[in-house]
Amino acid sequence: PAAGVSLRLRSTRAGLSEPAIDRIIRVDHAGEYGADRIYAGQMAVLGRSSVGPVIRQMWNQEKEHLRKFNELMVKYRVRPTVLLPLWNVAGFVLGAGSALLGRKGAMACTVAVEESISDHYNSQIRALMEEDPEKYKELLQIIKQFRDDEREHHDIGLEHDAEAAPAYSVLKTAIQLGCKAAIFLSERI
């Protein structure tokens, strides 16, 4: 570029720094991608069981979340995390592995993941509200709706005996630690 002028075509955003908005969209996209893969793994194992329709319903909502974040990635010109291939495999393995423990194991995974994600969405909502709720109105509306869907999935998991899964508290803690690591990495890489 001549005289130090950037030719990069990108809208500028006042308020939260551009990297902060990029991180929000990148990590939420990665999380919805991971959720899609988890439910795909659960369906591979339990799709024909009595809980299959319940898993399918939650998976369909996650597919809609992923579709919306794919749109936001384009709109805001945000690159996805380079870790998507890892989240593809890890998500499917987590979903299928928890489902191999049976319905209760799959639902324990759902409770752990959805609680982590709804808490993460709540943190983002607070940050956007503190910054400029009017400016980030669209993003806030999307995140709030998806947070509510995740809470619903969490509650469905509890209603389907998640807490009766073998070693529930250990399983939940391990999955939530994995979620925190995935969030941390996906925001940055």
Side-chain angles (χ1 to χ4, degrees), residues 11 18 39 48 50 52 81 86 122 130 156 161 168 174 188:
S11 62
E18 193 170 283
Y39 285 115
R48 295 183 183 189
S50 63
T81 177
L86 177 61
N122 280 333
E130 288 171 7
I156 289 169
D161 301 321
Y168 172 75
R188 290 160 177 82

Side-chain angles (χ1 to χ4, degrees), residues 26-27 29-38 80-95 178-187 189:
R26 179 178 303 110
V27 72
H29 174 264
E32 296 300 346
Y33 181 78
D36 173 75
R37 303 314 304 144
I38 290 168
T81 177
V82 299
L83 299 172
L84 284 182
L86 177 61
W87 301 154
N88 177 29
V89 174
F92 190 88
V93 168
L94 177 58
C179 287
K180 286 180 182 179
I183 288 167
F184 179 84
L185 293 170
S186 292
E187 284 179 328
I189 300 176

Side-chain angles (χ1 to χ4, degrees), residues 108-109 111-113 115-116 167-181:
C109 176
V111 167
V113 170
E115 184 176 294
S116 294
Y168 172 75
S169 61
V170 173
L171 183 63
K172 182 180 175 190
T173 300
I175 291 170
Q176 289 184 326
L177 286 172
C179 287
K180 286 180 182 179

Side-chain angles (χ1 to χ4, degrees), residues 16 19-21 23 27 41 44 57 81 89 101 111 115 133 135 146 181:
L16 277 178
I21 296 299
R23 278 194 309 269
V27 72
Q57 176 191 3
T81 177
V89 174
L101 296 172
V111 167
E115 184 176 294
K135 178 179 180 177
F146 292 177

Side-chain angles (χ1 to χ4, degrees), residues 116-129:
S116 294
I117 299 307
S118 61
D119 289 349
H120 177 69
Y121 278 155
N122 280 333
S123 295
Q124 290 179 338
I125 290 166
R126 280 190 297 277
L128 293 169
M129 290 295 289

